[in-house]
């Protein structure tokens, strides 16, 4: 069966499932809406693409140059030694929603040569030439060549040369190989409808950013344009364009990890999450009563499976109306939330943007009075079909709309009842449409901070700004807690407000492989706190697939079990004892890794460093290694998930350096490919030589030392786990010394050390004991327990 026919049948089946769930009335609304949308859609005439010609002159401006063409102008400004902004005029102005609140850096004055046609900083150089622009890095290596752009009405596009060996990463969430070369992608957030598999495009969260990797160097390109766009990454060139907005983009030279961190600083560092959010979370669409939810939570707790949060899907609402609770099926929701809180389980509520357009429904009536809903060009409030029926939608590009939404988080009592977070869904925005695109008509008007514009410009911003409105409302009305938000859709900068997950991926082995590629692609697009629905969303995974997905998810920042209403129940104890044991291993190891994960989260929030990393960010990729078969969690943990049915061993690509197999003393040297055992209950996991991992063990803090040639080092960040109180940041260094090693401990911050002391485990050498200020501490049970110290001498065998 061909791919188009398979996709059509899948969408038809998804429509049948929707009708079965909500009745034929929804199908009628979807048909009526599709007909109206087709009438509302503007019929723009096709205009041929026209080149801008050759440069006619240029003049120096602060930080750069302004180049004049026959009908357009180019402004190139260095905002720092490693950040160049290029803007083509004219264009439709769009507020800089993607950029951080701190704004841009002050222009940096480059060195000018040859009449200003060559601008240079210590890290980047730009040449304005007859046919296009050329860029070099600080070492004089060619980074990028691009032709001058073309225009067609309000649209812009340009061509960028791609070298034969060049690899391209990023572009947000894609069901495609991690290297995007050879693919055609659309920048248009879209709900694929029920489930998706490999190759489906577009998906929920597009980011017009790419990382280019070449043997002679690499760079990052970010197009600050939220309009409907595309990237065709052909064999010899990339064709990138947008159907509106300002044609503006930024270039940052490599190394790629540094370029990515620079981009994240430009678009906003992710906030430090509450610590509980790094634990295991549970959700299921179809838990229709309070009793069902309580039974699930009790099932985890009585089996000593560490559950940190439960998510309530749209089942808790009255008739799927947002900002309501069905008191018959969920009596005293606040009492349930507080009871869970006391037992260490947080509650997260789903929120959809659609407000049921029902006379007498208070959120709708309030929104009408405040004038915060999106409107048709006629001025009439736009109504589109979603879960509760016809609904109005807040215009999140209007400050009044964002403030109104934030007030609803408190006004309807959710924050007062100790709800810990919100799960933002259907915010591509998604609608039910019998045919065509399942979203708003392009003619819908948006405020865009008073500038005004249509949905072509605002569509990709909707999820980002819904997250912003929710974040700002949470922070204002619950200032002693850190906001936790999970969003399905977004744009560049969404990491400032929310985490993301990969949506409704199919429950297949190919779906598992697609998920890993999507997660790494999101991370390489600056969206660091990401995860997936364990087992896939739409189907019934086999016990083996379920467990392998669980093992992968245990090493991703967002660790959640979730599935569709029509699937079989997925709690771990329903798959048999062997699977339950494998799940327990993954969940307990996740709990042990919490200090390491929390420290990674801290560094992401302060330095812009990614949590999930493809192997090429750690000293190169071994020859022939598939980019999607293993990954790094931080710099020190190499995770090799099993992605093939029936596999009980795995070939693992090792980057350069030494790698310790998990809880083993031997060291493997990379670059190499090694075959490691992968029994059903666990997956290969390795630790970089030269690292120190902080772990939770036996109710205390343990340092696992993995010596490299020069010793080892590691960090630990810790605080209360929520709020803005005191913190501590501890640094550990292991140095070779006569008879063993010196372990140095330096700490800063006012938060007291929360454990009695620290236990030490040394890998690769046999540890006899330790000395601190002349006192001897013996080796017992595989480790040495020490009180807090500044320097310890570790004595080893031989």
């Amino acid at each position: 069966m061909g791919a188009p026919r398979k996709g059509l049948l899948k969408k038809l089946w998804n429509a049948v499932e929707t009708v079965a769930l909500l009745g034929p009335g929804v199908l009628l609304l979807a048909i009526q809406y599709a007909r109206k949308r087709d009438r509302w859609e503007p019929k723009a005439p096709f205009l041929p693409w026209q080149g801008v010609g050759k440069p006619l002159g240029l003049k120096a401006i602060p930080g750069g140059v302004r180049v004049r063409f026959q009908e357009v102008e180019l402004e190139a400004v260095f905002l720092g030694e490693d950040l160049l902004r290029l803007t083509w005029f004219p264009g439709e102005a769009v507020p800089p929603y993607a950029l951080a609140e701190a704004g841009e850096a002050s222009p940096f004055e480059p060195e000018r040569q040859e009449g200003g046609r060559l601008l240079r900083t210590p890290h980047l150089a730009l040449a304005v030439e007859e046919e296009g622009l050329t860029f070099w890095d600080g070492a004089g290596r060619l980074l990028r060549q691009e032709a001058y752009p073309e225009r067609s009405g309000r649209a812009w596009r340009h061509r960028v040369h791609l070298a034969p060996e060049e690899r391209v990463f990023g572009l947000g969430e894609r069901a495609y190989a991690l290297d995007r070369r050879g693919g055609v992608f659309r920048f248009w957030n879209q709900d694929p409808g029920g489930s998706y598999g490999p190759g489906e495009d577009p998906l929920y969260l597009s980011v017009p950013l790419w990382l280019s990797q070449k043997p002679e160097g690499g760079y990052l390109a970010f197009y600050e344009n939220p309009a409907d766009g595309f990237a065709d990454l052909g064999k010899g060139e990339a064709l990138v364009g947008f159907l509106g907005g300002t044609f503006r983009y930024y270039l940052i030279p490599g190394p790629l990890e540094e370029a990515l961190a620079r981009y994240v600083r430009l678009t906003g560092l992710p906030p430090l999450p509450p610590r509980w959010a790094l634990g295991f979370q549970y959700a299921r669409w179809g838990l229709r009563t309070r009793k069902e939810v309580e039974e699930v939570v009790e099932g985890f707790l009585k089996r000593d499976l560490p559950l940190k949060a439960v998510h309530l899907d749209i089942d808790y609402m009255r008739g799927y109306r947002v900002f309501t609770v069905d008191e018959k099926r969920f009596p005293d929701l606040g009492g349930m939330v507080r009871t869970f809180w006391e037992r260490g389980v947080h509650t997260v509520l789903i929120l959809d943007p659609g407000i049921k357009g029902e006379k007498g429904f208070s959120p709708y009536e309030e929104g009408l009075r405040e004038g915060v809903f999106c409107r048709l060009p006629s001025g009439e409030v736009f109504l589109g079909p979603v879960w509760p029926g016809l609904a109005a939608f807040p215009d999140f590009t209007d400050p009044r709309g964002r403030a109104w939404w934030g007030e609803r988080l408190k006004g309807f009592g959710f924050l007062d009842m100790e709800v810990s977070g919100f799960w933002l869904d259907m915010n591509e925005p998604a609608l039910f449409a019998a045919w065509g695109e399942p979203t708003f008509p392009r003619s819908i008007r948006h405020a865009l901070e008073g500038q005004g514009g249509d949905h072509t410009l605002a569509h990709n911003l909707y999820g980002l700004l819904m997250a912003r409105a929710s974040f700002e409302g949470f922070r204002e009305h619950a200032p002693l807690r850190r906001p936790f938000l999970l969003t399905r859709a977004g744009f560049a900068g969404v990491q400032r407000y929310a985490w993301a997950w990969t949506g409704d991926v199919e429950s297949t082995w190919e779906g598992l492989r697609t998920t890993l590629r999507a997660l790494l692609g999101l991370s390489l697009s600056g969206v660091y706190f990401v995860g997936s629905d364990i087992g896939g969303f739409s189907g019934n995974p086999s016990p083996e697939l379920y467990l392998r997905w669980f093992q992968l998810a245990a090493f991703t920042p967002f660790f959640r079990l979730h599935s569709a209403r029509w699937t079989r129940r997925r709690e771990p104890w329903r798959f048999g004892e062997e699977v339950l044991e494998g799940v327990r291993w993954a969940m307990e190891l996740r709990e042990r890794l919490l200090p390491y994960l929390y420290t990674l989260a801290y560094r992401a929030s302060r330095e812009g460093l990614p949590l999930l990393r493809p192997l090429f960010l750690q000293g190169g990729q071994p020859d022939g290694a598939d980019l999607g078969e293993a990954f790094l969690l931080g710099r020190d943990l190499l995770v090799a998930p099993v992605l093939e049915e029936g596999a009980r061993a795995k070939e693992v690509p090792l980057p350069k350096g030494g790698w310790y197999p998990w809880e083993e003393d031997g060291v493997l040297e990379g670059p190499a490919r090694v075959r490691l055992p992968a029994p059903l209950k666990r997956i290969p996991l390795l630790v970089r030589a030269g690292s120190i991992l902080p772990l939770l063990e036996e109710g205390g803090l343990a340092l696992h030392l993995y010596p490299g040639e020069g010793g080892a080092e590691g960090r630990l960040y810790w605080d209360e786990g929520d709020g803005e109180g005191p913190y501590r940041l501890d640094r550990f260094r292991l140095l070779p010394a006569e008879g063993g090693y010196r372990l140095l401990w330096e700490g800063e911050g006012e938060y007291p050390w929360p454990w009695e002391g620290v236990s030490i485990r040394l890998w690769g050498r046999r540890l006899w004991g330790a000395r601190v200020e002349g006192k001897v501490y013996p080796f017992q049970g595989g480790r040495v327990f020490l009180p807090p110290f500044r320097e310890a001498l570790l004595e080893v065998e031989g």
Side-chain angles (χ1 to χ4, degrees), residues 191-529:
D191 176 8
S195 69
Y196 69 88
E200 182 135 3
D201 194 87
L203 292 176
Y204 310 97
L205 202 164
S206 58
V207 180
L209 165 156
W210 87 47
L211 288 162
S212 170
Q213 184 191 49
K214 299 192 290 186
E216 66 273 20
Y219 68 89
L220 182 150
F222 164 52
Y223 294 82
E224 191 204 337
N225 190 323
D228 189 1
F230 59 88
D232 183 349
L233 303 180
K235 292 183 179 179
E237 66 178 11
L239 179 62
V240 183
F242 299 88
L243 304 186
T246 302
F247 196 45
R248 169 177 286 174
Y249 48 106
Y250 300 78
L251 293 180
I252 305 172
L256 294 187
E257 184 179 18
E258 295 177 13
L260 186 58
R262 183 69 181 88
Y263 160 80
V264 170
R265 293 197 301 274
L266 175 69
T267 58
L269 294 164
L272 182 67
R275 193 162 55 233
W276 63 262
L278 294 168
F280 174 73
Q281 306 185 42
Y282 172 90
R284 178 177 173 82
W285 176 24
L287 295 182
R288 296 185 53 79
T289 66
R290 170 175 174 167
K291 181 179 179 182
E292 289 181 77
V293 175
E294 290 173 332
E295 287 174 348
V296 168
V297 171
E298 185 62 31
F300 280 96
L301 297 182
K302 75 179 184 182
R303 291 175 175 86
D304 293 324
L305 296 172
L307 175 67
K308 289 297 188 295
V310 61
H311 293 220
L312 301 189
D313 211 316
I314 55 177
D315 311 280
Y316 79 88
M317 301 177 187
R318 176 169 53 84
Y320 303 127
R321 295 167 178 83
V322 72
F323 299 125
T324 69
V325 176
D326 190 325
E327 292 291 347
K328 292 183 179 179
R329 292 183 294 107
F330 285 84
D332 188 18
L333 179 65
M336 184 189 79
V337 170
R338 284 185 283 271
T339 298
F340 287 167
W341 178 291
E342 292 167 359
R343 303 186 72 185
V345 178
H346 296 257
T347 303
V348 177
L349 299 183
I350 198 169
L351 295 176
D352 292 344
I355 308 293
K356 184 173 178 62
E358 179 179 60
K359 186 175 181 180
F361 181 45
S362 60
Y364 178 63
E365 299 284 359
E366 291 173 8
L368 288 177
R369 287 195 300 271
E370 296 290 333
V372 300
F373 293 136
C374 296
R375 294 180 179 270
L376 295 164
S378 65
E380 179 185 356
V381 170
F382 167 67
L383 297 176
V386 283
W387 294 109
L390 290 178
F393 297 84
D395 183 2
F396 294 113
T397 74
D398 187 336
R400 296 177 305 147
R402 295 196 296 273
W404 178 85
W405 179 269
E407 288 291 333
R408 302 287 76 70
L409 301 185
K410 179 176 176 60
F412 288 90
F414 292 149
L415 290 175
D416 290 339
M417 69 173 67
E418 304 296 344
V419 165
S420 295
F422 297 101
W423 166 17
L424 311 178
D425 202 26
M426 298 289 286
N427 57 347
E428 290 71 32
L431 300 178
F432 296 153
W435 61 81
E437 292 187 339
T439 191
F440 295 1
R442 292 172 180 265
S443 58
I444 292 297
R445 303 302 298 172
H446 293 270
L448 292 169
E449 309 302 307
Q451 297 179 12
D454 63 12
H455 198 62
T456 296
L457 299 179
H459 175 85
N460 286 335
L461 295 169
Y462 201 83
L464 165 70
L465 296 178
M466 182 185 181
R468 174 177 169 179
S470 303
F471 184 89
E472 291 173 348
F474 196 122
R475 188 170 57 181
E476 179 180 354
H477 299 300
L480 299 182
R481 291 188 276 154
R482 298 176 196 160
F484 174 74
L485 300 174
L486 177 69
T487 186
R488 194 168 75 174
F491 182 67
V494 73
Q495 73 275 357
R496 299 200 300 271
Y497 310 117
W499 295 19
W501 89 106
T502 53
D504 301 347
V505 68
E506 64 185 26
S507 302
T508 64
W509 285 94
E510 189 55 47
L512 174 61
R513 292 186 284 272
T514 297
T515 292
L516 178 54
R517 299 177 192 126
L519 291 171
L520 291 173
L522 281 167
S523 189
L524 289 175
S525 303
V527 186
Y528 289 165
F529 290 93

Side-chain angles (χ1 to χ4, degrees), residues 164-185:
E165 69 279 12
E166 191 169 355
R167 298 194 289 188
V168 177
F169 308 102
L171 307 184
E173 181 183 2
R174 305 290 167 181
Y176 195 82
L178 194 59
D179 182 358
R180 311 308 196 194
R181 283 294 295 269
V184 180
F185 308 97

Side-chain angles (χ1 to χ4, degrees), residues 418-650:
E418 304 296 344
V419 165
S420 295
F422 297 101
W423 166 17
L424 311 178
D425 202 26
M426 298 289 286
N427 57 347
E428 290 71 32
L431 300 178
F432 296 153
W435 61 81
E437 292 187 339
T439 191
F440 295 1
R442 292 172 180 265
S443 58
I444 292 297
R445 303 302 298 172
H446 293 270
L448 292 169
E449 309 302 307
Q451 297 179 12
D454 63 12
H455 198 62
T456 296
L457 299 179
H459 175 85
N460 286 335
L461 295 169
Y462 201 83
L464 165 70
L465 296 178
M466 182 185 181
R468 174 177 169 179
S470 303
F471 184 89
E472 291 173 348
F474 196 122
R475 188 170 57 181
E476 179 180 354
H477 299 300
L480 299 182
R481 291 188 276 154
R482 298 176 196 160
F484 174 74
L485 300 174
L486 177 69
T487 186
R488 194 168 75 174
F491 182 67
V494 73
Q495 73 275 357
R496 299 200 300 271
Y497 310 117
W499 295 19
W501 89 106
T502 53
D504 301 347
V505 68
E506 64 185 26
S507 302
T508 64
W509 285 94
E510 189 55 47
L512 174 61
R513 292 186 284 272
T514 297
T515 292
L516 178 54
R517 299 177 192 126
L519 291 171
L520 291 173
L522 281 167
S523 189
L524 289 175
S525 303
V527 186
Y528 289 165
F529 290 93
V530 292
S532 65
D533 291 340
I534 294 173
F537 173 78
S538 59
N540 297 304
S542 67
E544 181 183 8
L545 175 58
Y546 173 84
L547 179 52
R548 293 308 196 189
W549 209 308
F550 222 110
Q551 291 164 342
L552 163 64
F555 298 98
T556 63
F558 180 49
F559 183 26
R560 185 183 74 161
L561 179 64
H562 178 51
S563 60
R565 181 174 176 178
W566 53 80
T567 63
R568 292 193 291 268
R569 295 290 291 269
R570 293 230 191 123
E571 295 80 24
W573 52 89
R574 300 181 187 273
F575 288 85
E577 192 60 34
E578 187 176 25
V579 170
L580 179 58
E581 288 182 20
V583 167
R584 190 182 300 279
W585 175 83
M587 294 180 75
E588 291 180 350
L589 182 51
R590 173 71 172 219
E591 286 293 296
R592 290 176 63 195
L593 287 169
L594 186 58
Y596 178 70
L597 285 165
Y598 200 43
T599 304
L600 293 181
Y602 168 78
R603 298 195 69 181
S605 72
R606 296 297 187 273
E607 303 170 51
L609 297 176
L611 287 80
L612 294 184
R613 308 158 184 238
L615 298 186
F616 66 76
L617 287 181
Q618 179 79 45
Q621 188 86 0
D623 291 341
D626 181 355
L627 291 166
E629 66 184 79
F631 63 93
L632 292 160
L633 178 57
R635 292 179 175 172
D636 297 331
L637 274 183
L638 194 160
V639 183
V642 174
L643 307 173
E644 303 291 338
E645 185 175 11
R648 297 296 181 266
K650 170 143 185 166

